[in-house]
Amino acid sequence: MPLSRINGHDLYFADTGGDERPTVLLGHGFFLDHTMFTAQADALAARGYRVVTWDARGHGDSPAGDEPFTYWDIARDLIGLMDHLGIEHAVVGGLSQGGFTALRTALLAPHRVTGLLLLDTEAHPLSDADYRDYTALFGGLAEQGPVDELLVPLSQQIIGDHPRAAHWRERWKTRPLPLGHPVRCLLERDDITARAGEITSPTLLIRGSKDLSIPRERMEFLASAIPRASSPHEVDGAAHAPPVTHPGETTSLLLSFLDSLGRR
């Protein structure tokens, strides 16, 4: 899994290789990293798809850098990664902030995005209530560090009541947390709802039925605003990260959509 210089920043990614089918690029959610898509990358690669998963700035093994950035900048990182890997066209997607990035990638380079995979994500900015809650959470983590008092409710929100929550809590205790510039990027992201209608790519929408981070109506908005979007497919019992807790169901939805693109 190489670390490459993209747009002046070090970017860590994993590439399954192959070129028999279209390439799929998947971006992780906040506090997660590229490993959240391990099951999907393996399954899609077994079906002939090339899958590239990557760590956004400040997550996993990609440093945040010294300068503030936005999700538009991260979208440009993704386009730069495509250039670096010689990928002209791809199906682009992600969970939560990975979806924020995918949406902006489709707006920046529509001719290069042949499909969108949007999982538990939105085009809206943070609500005032979420802004206050997240500011308090990130402030607590910056002051106290990765203590269980903060990590347990965080893991329940993202992963839900699932054994994988313990895995991610341990991961957060042993690796740098995405504080500072990544937090500012998340808290201050812009509203792109007015531009959703510009996206022309076929779009798959997936959400966990118990997701507390992205309200269902935010994904229903995407379904109505993006001309070629599906209705939101709910993964029953999943919280904010269905690929982690319900890998089989999530992979099945992704494969059905990807296979359908080849028939269009």
Side-chain angles (χ1 to χ4, degrees):
M1 290 176 285
L3 186 69
S4 295
R5 195 74 173 170
I6 306 294
N7 293 339
H9 297 271
D10 291 328
L11 199 68
Y12 199 75
F13 66 92
D15 184 357
T16 64
D19 57 5
E20 296 179 17
R21 289 175 179 259
T23 299
V24 181
L25 296 110
L26 295 172
H28 59 80
F30 203 88
F31 271 103
L32 304 175
D33 58 44
H34 77 279
T35 63
M36 70 162 291
F37 288 114
T38 297
Q40 288 72 44
D42 290 346
L44 269 59
R47 290 279 291 271
Y49 289 97
R50 179 184 182 183
V51 182
V52 178
T53 56
W54 53 291
D55 291 340
R57 298 187 199 183
H59 291 77
D61 290 301
S62 293
D66 298 326
E67 300 295 329
F69 54 87
T70 70
Y71 285 119
W72 292 101
D73 295 318
I74 298 181
R76 293 184 181 94
D77 290 347
L78 181 54
I79 296 168
L81 179 60
M82 292 174 66
D83 292 340
H84 175 74
L85 295 175
I87 299 169
E88 184 63 30
H89 306 96
V91 178
V92 176
L95 174 96
S96 198
Q97 81 159 10
F100 306 157
T101 301
L103 285 163
R104 288 161 176 79
T105 302
L107 290 170
L108 287 172
H111 57 292
R112 302 187 66 175
V113 177
T114 58
L116 276 179
L117 306 170
L118 302 179
L119 295 83
D120 294 272
T121 194
E122 61 182 332
H124 291 73
L126 275 179
S127 68
D128 291 341
D130 282 344
Y131 188 98
R132 289 192 298 270
D133 291 344
Y134 287 141
T135 298
L137 169 64
F138 298 137
L141 287 169
E143 181 179 343
Q144 302 175 49
V147 296
D148 283 340
E149 178 184 356
L150 297 172
L151 294 187
V152 169
L154 176 62
S155 66
Q156 289 175 339
Q157 178 176 347
I158 297 175
I159 310 298
D161 184 14
H162 190 277
R164 293 294 291 173
H167 163 82
W168 283 98
R169 287 196 298 272
E170 290 306 308
R171 198 165 177 84
W172 295 332
K173 290 178 181 179
T174 58
R175 301 173 68 84
L177 295 174
L179 302 176
H181 293 318
V183 165
R184 189 54 51 196
C185 176
L186 176 72
L187 294 180
E188 297 183 355
R189 70 177 186 269
D190 58 332
D191 183 349
I192 60 170
T193 54
R195 298 194 61 189
E198 299 175 30
I199 296 172
T200 58
S201 305
T203 301
L204 174 67
L205 302 177
I206 300 175
R207 74 178 301 272
S209 68
K210 295 184 177 180
D211 184 11
L212 301 178
S213 299
I214 305 293
R216 179 180 173 85
E217 56 266 27
R218 297 288 178 90
M219 294 209 74
E220 289 176 338
F221 168 81
L222 294 176
S224 63
I226 298 176
R228 301 176 69 187
S230 72
S231 298
H233 295 268
E234 289 209 339
V235 178
D236 189 42
H240 189 54
V244 174
T245 59
H246 295 66
E249 293 168 70
T250 303
T251 300
S252 178
L253 288 168
L254 295 181
L255 280 171
S256 293
F257 176 77
L258 292 168
D259 289 347
S260 75
L261 293 181
R263 298 192 295 268
R264 297 185 185 191

